[in-house]
Amino acid sequence: MKIKIQTTLETFDWSIWHYHFPIDKKTTQLMSSADHKRVVCIINDSLHLHCALMPMGEGSYIMINKANRDKLGLQAGDKVSIELEKDSSEYGIPMPESLQVMLDQEEEGSKHFHSLTPGKQRSLIYIVSKVKSLDKQINKSLAILDHLKDVQGKLDFRMLNAKIKEYNSREGYY
């Protein structure tokens, strides 16, 4: 099921996650449940995002970052068209092929990855997918799986960042 709505870009008085699109109660009820709040969101028929409907009063909201606002040329108060569809993907975010290949090849790392909460899995997927270079994606995937094995699946982002820096500094990697 797809729903198309009109909404307005608004701001919170928070220092982070300032910009958002409010979603009305009816749409929120149709597109989410207690155990599923992930949606694919198409803004102004051009930008596709995998995101969550975050609770707000009886409705919800969708956050949008500066880079995506800039792509769309949006400012607070602008009206937008949003098409929503329940996200039926396994992770609630597209899985980069580079990470999937590593998970398929590395049994212990895959076991630890799949024991993480869905939100932590999405965070790791995002870390890999935010870089465009396939070599860098593979490097980050290797570092993530190595870290998960080192810590027996107890994800520590500070230690993970150090592991990624270590992998990036290895001879022959550019």
Side-chain angles (χ1 to χ4, degrees), residues 21-35:
F21 299 112
I23 307 298
D24 63 84
K25 177 182 176 180
K26 180 182 174 187
T27 303
T28 299
Q29 289 174 338
L30 288 170
M31 299 308 294
S32 67
S33 63
D35 62 337

Side-chain angles (χ1 to χ4, degrees), residues 19-79:
Y19 290 86
H20 66 281
F21 299 112
I23 307 298
D24 63 84
K25 177 182 176 180
K26 180 182 174 187
T27 303
T28 299
Q29 289 174 338
L30 288 170
M31 299 308 294
S32 67
S33 63
D35 62 337
H36 192 274
K37 297 182 183 336
R38 304 289 303 173
V39 294
V40 177
C41 174
I42 303 170
I43 305 169
N44 287 344
D45 296 319
S46 62
L47 181 65
H48 290 66
L49 301 174
H50 289 256
C51 50
L53 293 175
M54 305 298 293
M56 179 172 70
E58 293 186 342
S60 60
Y61 66 94
I62 294 172
M63 297 182 290
I64 185 165
N65 65 21
K66 182 176 180 359
N68 287 328
R69 288 191 323 271
D70 289 348
K71 280 181 195 173
L72 294 166
L74 294 177
Q75 296 182 22
D78 287 349
K79 302 263 186 234

